[in-house]
């Protein structure tokens, strides 16, 4: 029968008319885009089956692109869906997308949701005016610690004031962070004696003025950078001073009873210099008492220590480094020596090979070069000793502290805080404090002018300069003047900041001060000498300082006295 194609064409036409009427109805309801006319809609449909598919109910991935009406080539069609090719109408200016996008419009009868706005936490402060200027790191000292008295009781009112200061500083810090001016965040130095010693935070000038008016604030000052000893190092360092024959004078006193004398023939010349008696050439061995600092703790306030170095393992296999450690607010929280100086100095105090007091212990106190670090470490050391004192443990130990950083004189309001801490440590906790004199390469033996050495004018601290082992004269770069207490070898052999047994030669006043810190521990444990020094706990630091100066003697005529450990002579 030849009538089948005609029948199919008739049915297709009827279906197209029905479908086109549906399209017009949907267009009026807003569900279908306006494509110009019915012919355009017919041109998009291929096959009879497509007329019965509702585009709104079908997956857009299954929709077919409109046919290319210019293509007149023969096409293969599905037997189930014969192809219909109606006459192509004229195409309007609005071009059709390659694939229709169907958008569903929400009926006006449906409830409309309110527009969403960002919701900030209630505690989040507003952004401050960006014209307030840059922030600078500030120290905010509290009134509760303006006068440091270990016997005072912190009032509830003072604690409440400190809490209010803390909350206000947190808000200010958050404001600066939101404004892109944030610093290192709020840091708090807590004191077991006076609650909060200081806060450290970055503030703008208007914020500084505001916090100065806060009740309970004693002082607001910039956080100052501090300096580490400028050290020159070399694997074959030699003194540049010309050789000179020393002219010796008698020491101020001699030691009485001592224990067993140990001779270390492998010791380097800096240690042999320390045990050389009056009227003698430098000995061939380092002579020292077998107690050598036993029972004494040295707080090494420095850049850290390489705890893996073999020089910190004693002859009995124990560590000369205590597990208790102190880390300043700005430090990394690890004992690692970030400067390669701290390891050397600690080994000059207690090292098995290089140390003066080989049986003393070192407590590592890591400081970064800022005033806040120094002050916070001193506060933490006082907290540690207060805990010992509260538990009545301090009577079983004695303490020395070396501070290996220095800074320029600052305003009296800051120095009063530092001196308060030094006074607390020296007079309340009987700590012997040792510091370097400092160095000046431009002027020969210029006067000491850096903190904390200048505090010697009012406190019993020991300020140490550097002497040449070869010439017995003060090194030209070592500072002097009225604050200088004693000299010690300034060129030393010491542990390197590497694992194993590596060593390094260093030349600076910090290395000299480390040996004096070891010598203070050495004398505190030295038989009847130690008993005399410890007899009156209230003046231990004063007596130790006086004894070190009395035993020291001038190695070269007209020069400053250099340390001696009292060995090499028979006691009276």
């Amino acid at each position: 029968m030849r009538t089948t194609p005609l029948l199919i064409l008739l049915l297709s036409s009827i279906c197209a008319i029905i479908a086109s009427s549906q399209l017009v109805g949907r267009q009026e309801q807003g569900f279908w885009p306006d494509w110009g006319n019915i012919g355009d809609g017919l041109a998009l449909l291929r096959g009879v089956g497509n007329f019965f598919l509702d585009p709104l109910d079908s997956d857009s991935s299954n929709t077919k692109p409109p046919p290319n009406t210019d293509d007149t080539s023969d096409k293969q069609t599905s037997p189930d869906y014969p192809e219909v090719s109606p006459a192509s109408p004229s195409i309007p200016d609005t071009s059709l997308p390659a694939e229709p996008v169907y958008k569903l419009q929400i009926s006006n009868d449906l409830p409309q949701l309110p527009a969403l706005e960002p919701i900030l936490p209630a505690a989040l402060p507003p952004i401050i005016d960006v014209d307030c200027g840059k922030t600078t790191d500030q120290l905010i000292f509290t009134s509760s610690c303006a006068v440091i008295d270990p016997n005072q009781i912190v009032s509830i009112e003072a604690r409440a004031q400190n809490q209010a200061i803390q909350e206000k500083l947190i808000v200010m810090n958050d404001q600066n962070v939101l404004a892109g001016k944030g610093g290192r965040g709020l840091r708090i130095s807590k004191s077991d004696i006076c609650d909060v010693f200081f806060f450290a935070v970055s503030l703008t000038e208007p914020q500084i003025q505001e916090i100065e008016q806060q009740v309970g604030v004693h002082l607001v000052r910039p956080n100052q950078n501090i300096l580490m000893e400028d050290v020159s190092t070399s694997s074959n360092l030699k003194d540049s001073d010309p050789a000179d024959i020393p002219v010796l004078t008698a020491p101020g006193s001699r030691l009485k009873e001592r224990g067993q004398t140990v001779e270390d023939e492998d010791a380097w010349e800096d240690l042999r210099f320390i045990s050389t008696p009056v009227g003698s050439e430098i000995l061939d061995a380092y002579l020292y008492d077998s107690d050598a600092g036993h029972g004494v703790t040295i707080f090494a306030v420095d850049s850290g220590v390489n705890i893996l170095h073999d020089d910190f393992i004693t002859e009995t296999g124990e560590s000369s480094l205590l597990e208790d450690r102190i880390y300043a607010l700005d430090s990394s929280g690890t004992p690692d020596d970030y400067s390669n100086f701290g390891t050397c100095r600690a080994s000059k105090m207690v090292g098995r090979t290089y140390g003066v007091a080989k049986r003393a212990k070192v407590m590592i106190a890591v400081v970064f070069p800022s005033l806040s670090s120094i002050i916070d470490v001193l506060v933490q050391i006082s907290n540690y000793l207060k805990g010992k004192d509260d538990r009545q443990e301090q009577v079983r130990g004695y303490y020395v502290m070396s501070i290996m950083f220095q800074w320029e004189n600052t305003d009296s309001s800051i120095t009063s805080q530092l001196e308060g801490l030094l006074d607390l440590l020296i007079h309340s906790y009987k700590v012997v404090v040792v510091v370097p004199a400092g160095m000046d390469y431009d002027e020969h033996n210029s006067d000491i002018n850096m903190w904390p050495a200048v505090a010697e004018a009012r406190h019993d601290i020991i300020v140490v300069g550097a002497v040449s082992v070869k010439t017995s004269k003060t090194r030209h770069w070592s500072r002097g003047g009225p604050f200088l207490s004693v000299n010690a070898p300034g060129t030393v052999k010491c542990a390197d900041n590497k694992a194993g047994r590596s060593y390094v030669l260093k030349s600076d006043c910090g290395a000299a001060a480390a040996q004096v810190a070891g010598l203070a521990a050495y004398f505190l444990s030295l038989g009847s000498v130690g008993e005399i020094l410890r007899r009156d706990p209230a003046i231990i630091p004063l007596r130790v300082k006086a004894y070190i100066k009395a035993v020291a003697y001038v190695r070269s005529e007209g020069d400053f006295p250099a340390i001696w450990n009292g060995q090499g002579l028979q006691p009276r």
Side-chain angles (χ1 to χ4, degrees):
M1 296 285 297
R2 297 282 183 180
T3 59
T4 301
L6 294 176
L7 179 60
I8 294 175
L9 180 59
L10 178 61
L11 292 175
S12 298
S13 300
I14 296 173
C15 292
I17 295 171
I18 296 173
S20 61
S21 63
Q22 293 178 350
L23 292 176
V24 173
R26 292 181 183 268
Q27 176 185 340
E28 293 174 353
Q29 298 178 20
F31 284 90
W32 198 263
D34 183 8
W35 288 341
N37 51 51
I38 301 299
D40 295 338
L42 295 177
L44 293 173
L45 302 177
R46 297 185 61 190
V48 175
N50 289 10
F51 286 102
F52 299 98
L53 293 177
D54 189 343
L56 295 176
D57 297 331
S58 62
D59 189 348
S60 61
S61 62
N62 294 329
T63 59
K64 304 264 192 311
N68 184 355
T69 55
D70 295 333
D71 187 2
T72 57
S73 61
D74 293 337
K75 298 178 182 177
Q76 298 294 328
T77 59
S78 169
D80 297 329
Y81 302 98
E83 183 179 12
V84 177
S85 300
S88 297
S90 60
I91 303 298
D93 295 338
T94 303
S95 59
L96 295 178
E99 187 169 341
V101 178
Y102 306 111
K103 295 182 180 180
L104 182 65
Q105 294 183 356
I106 300 176
S107 170
N108 293 331
D109 298 333
L110 297 177
Q112 300 294 316
L113 295 176
L116 296 179
E117 297 181 357
I119 300 176
L120 298 178
L124 198 61
I127 297 178
I128 61 174
D129 185 359
V130 295
D131 296 329
C132 288
K134 296 181 179 179
T135 60
T136 55
D137 206 36
Q138 301 288 319
L139 300 182
I140 298 93
F141 296 93
T142 65
S143 300
S144 63
C145 293
V147 178
I148 306 173
D149 181 0
N151 299 316
Q152 77 181 33
I153 298 176
V154 183
S155 66
I156 296 177
E157 180 183 7
R159 293 184 186 276
Q161 290 175 354
N162 291 342
Q163 181 64 30
I165 296 171
Q166 177 178 337
E167 292 173 355
K168 194 172 192 67
L169 290 173
I170 289 175
V171 171
M172 289 181 172
N173 178 74
D174 290 344
Q175 288 174 333
N176 293 335
V177 170
L178 288 173
K181 301 181 180 182
R184 290 175 289 176
L186 179 64
R187 293 98 69 202
I188 306 174
S189 180
K190 295 285 291 183
S191 172
D192 290 346
I193 295 175
C194 51
D195 193 36
V196 176
F197 200 87
F198 70 84
F199 300 94
V201 67
S202 295
L203 300 177
T204 63
E205 188 60 35
Q207 290 173 333
I208 294 173
Q209 296 174 4
E210 180 180 352
I211 203 65
E212 285 178 333
Q213 306 303 316
Q214 181 77 20
V215 176
V217 171
H218 171 64
L219 181 69
V220 181
R221 288 293 185 274
N223 189 10
Q224 184 179 344
N225 290 333
I226 61 177
L227 305 174
M228 181 177 291
E229 282 286 334
D230 183 14
V231 186
S232 58
T233 61
S234 173
S235 59
N236 57 351
L237 189 65
K238 296 181 180 180
D239 277 288
S240 58
D241 297 339
D244 191 19
I245 300 175
V247 178
L248 305 177
T249 60
S253 66
R254 293 183 179 180
L255 300 180
K256 290 189 177 182
E257 299 177 7
R258 291 185 290 271
Q260 181 181 357
T261 299
V262 180
E263 296 186 18
D264 182 4
E265 297 181 353
D266 296 327
W268 205 56
E269 59 185 9
D270 56 347
L271 289 178
R272 293 187 278 117
F273 178 94
I274 292 172
S275 64
T276 297
V278 178
S280 173
E281 297 291 336
I282 294 180
L283 300 179
D284 294 332
Y286 172 49
L287 307 181
Y288 63 94
D289 189 86
S290 57
D291 284 339
H294 178 67
V296 182
T297 298
I298 304 175
F299 296 102
V301 181
D302 212 324
S303 60
V305 177
N306 175 16
I307 63 177
L308 301 178
H309 199 285
D310 288 353
D311 204 38
F312 301 116
I313 303 299
T314 66
E315 293 181 354
T316 60
E318 301 176 352
S319 175
S320 56
L321 306 175
L322 295 177
E323 292 186 0
D324 291 336
R325 287 153 193 167
I326 293 173
Y327 303 110
L329 288 176
D330 301 327
S331 73
S332 61
T334 67
D336 300 335
D337 183 6
Y338 64 83
S339 73
N340 199 27
F341 301 156
T343 301
C344 169
R345 292 162 177 165
S347 73
K348 295 309 299 178
M349 300 174 194
V350 301
R352 180 180 62 185
T353 302
Y354 309 112
V356 173
K358 301 180 186 297
R359 295 191 63 189
K361 299 288 187 181
V362 159
M363 180 178 290
I364 303 170
V366 182
V367 175
F368 264 39
S370 68
L371 198 57
S372 59
S373 282
I374 286 287
I375 298 177
D376 182 59
V377 159
L378 297 183
V379 169
Q380 290 192 55
I381 290 175
S382 67
N383 292 344
Y384 175 84
L385 294 176
K386 183 179 186 301
K388 288 274 190 180
D389 201 29
D390 291 344
R391 297 189 298 270
Q392 297 183 345
E393 295 179 3
Q394 190 178 2
V395 293
R396 289 182 274 174
Y398 300 91
Y399 302 95
V400 178
M401 179 173 65
S402 64
I403 304 175
M404 296 304 182
F405 291 81
Q406 58 186 5
W407 54 95
E408 295 179 350
N409 292 353
T410 183
D411 59 82
S412 59
S413 54
I414 289 285
T415 58
S416 65
Q417 301 292 318
L418 292 166
E419 292 197 65
L421 285 170
L422 288 174
D423 186 75
L424 176 70
L425 292 166
I426 293 171
H427 295 105
S428 296
Y429 298 129
K430 322 303 183 291
V431 180
V432 180
V433 179
V434 182
V435 301
M439 299 189 293
D440 184 355
Y441 291 104
D442 298 327
E443 185 177 350
H444 188 81
N445 298 134
S446 60
D447 286 350
I448 294 166
N449 66 349
M450 303 284 280
W451 274 84
V454 295
E456 194 274 342
R458 292 172 296 278
H459 302 277
D460 295 319
I461 64 177
I462 304 173
V463 182
V464 185
V467 65
S468 167
V469 171
K470 296 187 180 301
T471 69
S472 300
K473 292 183 177 181
T474 301
R475 299 302 301 267
H476 69 278
W477 39 257
S478 178
R479 290 184 180 272
F483 300 139
L484 184 64
S485 305
V486 72
N487 275 342
T491 300
V492 302
K493 186 177 183 179
C494 56
D496 195 11
N497 189 21
K498 299 176 183 177
R501 300 179 181 180
S502 59
Y503 70 90
V504 66
L505 301 183
K506 288 186 178 290
S507 184
D508 76 318
C509 287
Q515 293 168 102
V516 175
L519 186 62
Y522 181 92
F523 283 149
L524 279 169
S525 67
L526 189 62
S528 61
V529 172
E531 291 177 2
I532 294 173
L533 296 177
R534 303 189 304 263
R535 183 173 296 168
D536 185 354
I539 57 173
I540 286 177
L542 173 62
R543 275 186 164 159
V544 171
K545 177 181 179 179
Y547 195 78
I548 288 176
K549 293 178 67 175
V551 175
Y553 65 93
V554 175
R555 307 290 180 117
S556 179
E557 184 178 3
D559 208 82
F560 205 80
I563 60 171
W564 176 46
N565 70 355
Q567 293 292 339
L569 292 177
Q570 293 297 322
R572 294 176 180 177

